[in-house]
Amino acid sequence: MDATSSDDVARHNDGVSLSSSELANKLEARFAAGPEPQTFTYLGSRFLISINPYEALESQSDSAAAVYAEDYRNTSGRRKGVAPHVFAMATNAYLHMRQTGLNQSLVFSGETGTGKSEAKRLAVRMLSFLRPHARRDTQAFDKIVETEIVLEAFGNAKTTSHANASRVGIYTELQFDELGRIAGAKYCDYMLDRSRVTHVPDNERNYHVLHYLVQGSQSDERAL
């Protein structure tokens, strides 16, 4: 997970603009280069391109997150750098918040099935590694993760392109105190696909929560 010369396609292209096909070729080459797919690539210092591998990777594990947390804590001035990752983006956002006291934002954008929800979960999990937490802090992060799962039931559905596609936008606000400890979370939804409730496209399903209600009901309740 060390940094390499191909980590940032904007920095290592001699200032020449990339066409869509050239960018795709570079991303494909990185994805296939190592023993494990390289799913993240920087596009400058503020953008991270993510490719959904559709499988669990070691680079998404808690042990990988611990490497980025260790790099965050390294104050020796001899940081060797780590590979592009949503872990690094979350770490940088937290660091800037602690240094400046200013709010920070991470925006996850992409087509259905590109891994936005999973990347968001990885970012939240990374934040839980960045400081020694008391039992209260650990419980707070656990509740945030569990809340995300519940909210998905109300806003996600099976589509022709993805079995757990998000059909709603979610603004998640993680709140920290002056010492950088997690204090709470706030959720706001927008752009919910309301038409799906009454009209489900062919070969797709309604929101998960409605199927959960049917599966959990008694036979007499289903007859109503």
Side-chain angles (χ1 to χ4, degrees), residues 72-210:
Y72 163 77
R73 298 189 188 102
N74 185 354
T75 59
S76 66
R78 296 189 298 273
R79 298 170 67 180
K80 63 179 181 179
V82 288
H85 204 292
V86 70
F87 288 159
M89 298 297 280
T91 299
N92 289 337
Y94 182 82
L95 177 61
H96 289 313
M97 179 194 72
R98 295 285 288 130
Q99 288 179 332
T100 66
L102 299 176
N103 294 332
Q104 305 294 314
S105 297
L106 294 175
V107 179
F108 300 87
S109 178
E111 298 291 332
T112 296
T114 53
K116 300 183 297 297
S117 296
E118 179 61 22
K120 179 182 175 182
R121 273 192 287 268
L122 291 175
V124 172
R125 190 167 70 190
M126 184 66 231
L127 293 173
S128 71
F129 277 81
L130 293 182
R131 50 172 284 117
H133 293 295
R135 181 180 180 85
R136 167 188 167 277
D137 295 4
T138 302
Q139 290 175 341
F141 273 111
D142 288 343
K143 288 180 180 179
I144 290 171
V145 173
E146 292 166 358
T147 298
E148 296 270 357
I149 296 173
V150 174
L151 291 177
E152 279 191 3
F154 288 86
N156 288 31
K158 181 179 180 181
T159 67
T160 54
S161 60
H162 198 272
N164 189 37
S166 175
R167 312 311 299 165
V168 62
I170 297 290
Y171 166 79
T172 303
E173 180 180 289
L174 300 184
Q175 301 162 341
F176 297 87
D177 65 15
E178 64 279 2
L179 297 179
R181 298 175 301 195
I182 186 69
K186 174 183 177 181
Y187 297 89
C188 296
D189 66 274
Y190 58 95
M191 295 179 63
L192 175 67
D193 180 11
R194 298 181 181 181
S195 63
R196 180 173 293 271
V197 177
T198 57
H199 178 73
V200 180
D202 294 339
N203 301 317
E204 296 191 1
R205 293 189 6 167
N206 216 315
Y207 291 109
H208 296 328
V209 67
L210 300 179

Side-chain angles (χ1 to χ4, degrees), residues 7-85:
D7 286 347
D8 189 338
V9 293
R11 181 180 303 172
H12 298 282
N13 201 48
D14 298 324
V16 179
S17 297
L18 290 171
S19 67
S20 296
S21 59
E22 289 172 332
L23 177 59
N25 290 337
K26 287 182 176 290
L27 296 177
E28 183 178 1
R30 277 182 55 79
F31 188 83
E36 181 175 278
Q38 299 296 309
T39 59
F40 297 104
T41 305
Y42 287 128
L43 184 60
S45 61
R46 293 176 178 267
F47 296 92
L48 180 71
I49 302 173
S50 173
I51 299 176
N52 191 346
Y54 292 100
E55 63 176 321
L57 301 177
E58 176 60 28
S59 59
Q60 300 172 346
S61 66
D62 286 352
S63 59
V67 172
Y68 287 82
E70 184 62 28
D71 183 69
Y72 163 77
R73 298 189 188 102
N74 185 354
T75 59
S76 66
R78 296 189 298 273
R79 298 170 67 180
K80 63 179 181 179
V82 288
H85 204 292

